[in-house]
Amino acid sequence: MSDRKPAEWPANIRPEKTQDWDAFKESDTEAGIQVNDDFERFEQRNDMFCRSQWDEKIATKAAMEFWRGHRKPNFRKGDGFRQRDFALRNASWVMASSIMERGFSEGIREGFTDDIKQFHPPDSNKVKIESVEDMTREIKQVAKYFGADLVGITEYDERWVYTSKFNVRTKEESPVALPEGLTSVIMVGHAMEYDIIKSMPSALASTAVGKGYSTEAAIVMHIAQYIRNLGYEAVGSMNDTSLTIPQAIKAGLGEYGRHNMLITRDFGPRVRISKIFTDMPLYHDKPIKFGVTEFCEECRRCYEACPVDAITGGPPTNSGHNKSNVDGVEKWTTNCEKCFGYWTALRTDCAICMRVCPYNKNFSKWYMRAARWLAGTALRKLMLWLDIRLGYGERDMPQKWWSGDYQKLK
Ligand code: SF4
Ligand code: SF4
């Protein structure tokens, strides 16, 4: 336990600005992102997972049990929390954990606090790009080929890059060392299965999260290596290095929801997001709008369903609840301390807010696409009423998944 004591933090020296932040105002407006004058870049050590390593308030006994549960199945009695549920969840993490833990002795957690190390550096022969349009299409095709469900490209914007990164072993900070000359960020979305998420919260349903991370680790490494093989810089990244949601919105992957998640057209909030920073010349996508903001203004399902009142039912605000929130951006902000406290009590992640969200649907069905269309019109209240009336968002018992009922329905 000694290495979990709060560290004496060195003064955090904020990196110099290397970009003109005012130049992003136009694209911010287009994306519906309002960044105010008091905005400051986020320090990675303040995210909840890092705080659980150094902040006494967060590094509770329950938090330690939560982390230990990832190493050995944690036994509880309820459906969805038995040994087989934790065994499946932990098995789903194997690929992501194998990448994450290879630098563990040095306190490096690739994909979580540190970017993913390159396998081979950029080829010395840089291919000449005759058409940026063709190259952009090609990169998206390659990303899809490797398994990406969604791909969009946005400008490199240092405002979202963390001021420093956190070392889990030394509890110290170090600079985020990205290559110079980056111009673009390729944002990649990875869908999680609808059926299993219906039993959130449970260790069983968290399998979708672990599987998502394991899948995205492989996909992001493939894409980054392809770009490096063409002679360009490419840094693969998951939760590390920068905030993802503002970049995903700007890259046209979806809109921002009251529950602080990205809501995509094709998978709703049921996506994980990874990214590749690159200097390859690429065109940037435009943000998309399909009525989420207006729908969230009417809907409060996530707010009402959250067991610890972590989600706001009010309007967007400029400042958050605590140091784990980003200040200076006008948005709905979740109280991450309350949320993470509930995760640690469960010994696994929660995502009730994802389950109940009316955008959490199987959009391969035509009537779900019709419901999404309705949600984007002036009849959104009708869609919300129908959604509740028809029982969408209710929890399925984990046993239903184990019994193979979903497979029988396919
Ligand atoms: S994950 Fe659970 S605890 Fe956290 S905000 Fe969502 S509903 Fe609340
Ligand atoms: S549950 Fe409702 S309010 Fe919450 S994010 Fe989804 S649509 Fe928005």
Side-chain angles (χ1 to χ4, degrees):
M1 289 291 288
S2 61
D3 66 340
R4 294 194 183 278
K5 281 188 180 158
E8 291 294 323
W9 290 104
N12 184 24
I13 300 162
R14 291 191 170 268
E16 296 284 320
K17 272 189 192 177
T18 65
Q19 292 179 303
D20 172 12
W21 291 3
D22 286 341
F24 296 121
K25 277 191 172 152
E26 198 179 321
S27 60
D28 283 353
T29 306
E30 203 174 14
I33 298 173
Q34 187 184 322
V35 179
N36 296 324
D37 291 341
D38 59 344
F39 169 79
E40 289 194 0
R41 286 167 63 179
F42 191 71
E43 297 171 42
Q44 188 188 52
R45 69 178 169 115
N46 284 335
D47 92 21
M48 289 307 299
F49 301 114
C50 292
R51 282 179 70 195
S52 73
Q53 305 293 316
W54 66 267
D55 186 340
E56 265 179 349
K57 185 178 173 191
I58 310 301
T60 58
K61 189 166 173 277
M64 298 308 108
E65 287 286 323
F66 170 82
W67 289 118
R68 268 195 283 276
H70 284 263
R71 296 212 166 73
K72 66 184 176 86
N74 192 334
F75 312 145
R76 287 176 57 174
K77 291 210 166 70
D79 185 14
F81 294 91
R82 298 192 179 108
Q83 181 167 0
R84 65 176 182 181
D85 302 295
F86 279 99
L88 189 73
R89 182 201 69 170
N90 294 358
S92 74
W93 273 91
V94 163
M95 288 312 298
S97 298
S98 300
I99 305 295
M100 175 177 71
E101 290 181 9
R102 60 188 180 177
F104 215 65
S105 59
E106 298 155 52
I108 291 169
R109 295 169 78 235
E110 288 175 60
F112 293 87
T113 52
D114 300 78
D115 57 73
I116 301 180
K117 283 193 177 19
Q118 50 183 317
F119 186 58
H120 289 301
D123 196 278
S124 55
N125 182 36
K126 190 178 262 192
V127 296
K128 192 160 180 285
I129 296 176
E130 306 285 350
S131 159
V132 175
E133 190 178 358
D134 286 349
M135 194 71 235
T136 304
R137 184 200 52 72
E138 184 180 307
I139 287 294
K140 290 183 176 179
Q141 179 179 324
V142 166
K144 292 265 172 106
Y145 170 73
F146 280 128
D149 292 304
L150 300 168
V151 198
I153 304 172
T154 185
E155 61 207 344
Y156 172 71
D157 180 343
E158 70 181 6
R159 292 175 305 171
W160 315 123
V161 176
Y162 298 141
T163 53
S164 55
K165 60 180 177 177
F166 173 80
N167 185 298
V168 283
R169 195 150 287 277
T170 64
K171 316 289 189 254
E172 288 172 352
E173 296 169 274
S174 59
V176 175
L178 285 170
E180 286 187 2
L182 296 173
T183 49
S184 298
V185 192
I186 303 164
M187 303 302 300
V188 186
H190 313 269
M192 295 185 286
E193 296 90 350
Y194 177 67
D195 295 345
I196 204 164
I197 292 282
K198 281 160 93 175
S199 66
M200 279 284 186
S202 64
L204 169 72
S206 297
T207 301
V209 178
K211 188 179 163 201
Y213 275 119
S214 285
T215 307
E216 73 178 86
I219 293 170
V220 90
M221 288 166 81
H222 287 308
I223 303 168
Q225 190 57 54
Y226 172 67
I227 295 170
R228 288 196 291 266
N229 291 348
L230 297 178
Y232 292 88
E233 287 288 359
V235 179
S237 167
M238 302 203 306
N239 290 8
D240 54 277
T241 306
S242 74
L243 303 173
T244 50
I245 292 180
Q247 297 175 103
I249 293 170
K250 284 198 156 181
L253 261 52
E255 289 189 65
Y256 187 70
R258 180 184 291 279
H259 49 25
N260 287 209
M261 285 182 259
L262 181 76
I263 297 186
T264 66
R265 263 183 71 82
D266 292 345
F267 309 104
R270 235 175 37 256
V271 284
R272 310 227 58 82
I273 311 165
S274 62
K275 55 203 179 285
I276 298 117
F277 297 92
T278 184
D279 61 357
M280 174 177 265
L282 295 169
Y283 282 139
H284 299 153
D285 287 289
K286 296 278 183 200
I288 56 166
K289 291 270 178 202
F290 54 103
V292 170
T293 305
E294 295 77 7
F295 192 85
C296 285
E297 282 164 0
E298 295 290 346
C299 175
R300 300 277 187 288
R301 290 201 74 184
C302 51
Y303 158 74
E304 284 156 5
C306 177
V308 288
D309 202 17
I311 297 174
T312 178
T317 53
N318 179 58
S319 57
H321 305 270
N322 52 63
K323 64 178 88 161
S324 291
N325 297 126
V326 178
D327 287 335
V329 182
E330 204 77 16
K331 63 184 186 65
W332 288 300
T333 298
T334 289
N335 186 329
C336 326
E337 288 184 1
K338 287 186 177 178
C339 174
F340 187 66
Y342 188 62
W343 289 26
T344 61
L346 284 177
R347 307 293 194 264
T348 192
D349 35 343
C350 162
I352 291 172
C353 47
M354 181 186 289
R355 189 194 81 216
V356 301
C357 181
Y359 285 100
N360 173 32
K361 293 278 185 294
N362 177 355
F363 290 116
S364 67
K365 299 186 189 306
W366 70 265
Y367 45 89
M368 292 306 172
R369 294 196 294 279
R372 181 182 62 199
W373 169 81
L374 196 62
T377 70
L379 294 174
R380 56 185 68 90
K381 276 189 180 169
L382 171 64
M383 187 281 184
L384 186 55
W385 180 82
L386 281 169
D387 200 63
I388 297 167
R389 188 91 186 160
L390 296 173
Y392 286 103
E394 283 175 14
R395 183 175 185 252
D396 275 357
M397 292 309 288
Q399 180 56 32
K400 186 170 176 185
W401 187 86
W402 283 110
S403 68
D405 277 3
Y406 296 118
Q407 281 72 20
K408 283 177 216 153
L409 290 172
K410 280 177 183 157

